Amino acid sequence: GASGTTDSTGDAWQTFRLVAPPTGAELDILSTLRDTSSSPYSFPVHTWVPIAC
């Protein structure tokens, strides 16, 4: 798995390196976010992210 960071507003940031991605495509991200204040609880997160080339 990959790790990321969260900022003070709770937004999560994760960095990917894609080799020759299709222009105008979207990356389908399904991940789990662990709430460190109430661990061991975790929450599923799903989002579509536009790929900019």
Side-chain angles (χ1 to χ4, degrees), residues 1-44:
S3 296
T5 59
T6 56
D7 62 18
S8 59
T9 62
D11 291 336
W13 298 90
Q14 193 161 17
T15 301
F16 295 90
R17 177 176 226 173
L18 301 178
V19 179
T23 303
E26 289 182 316
L27 186 64
D28 185 8
I29 299 177
L30 179 61
S31 60
T32 300
L33 180 63
R34 177 173 289 170
D35 183 358
T36 55
S37 65
S38 60
S39 202
Y41 300 108
S42 58
F43 306 92

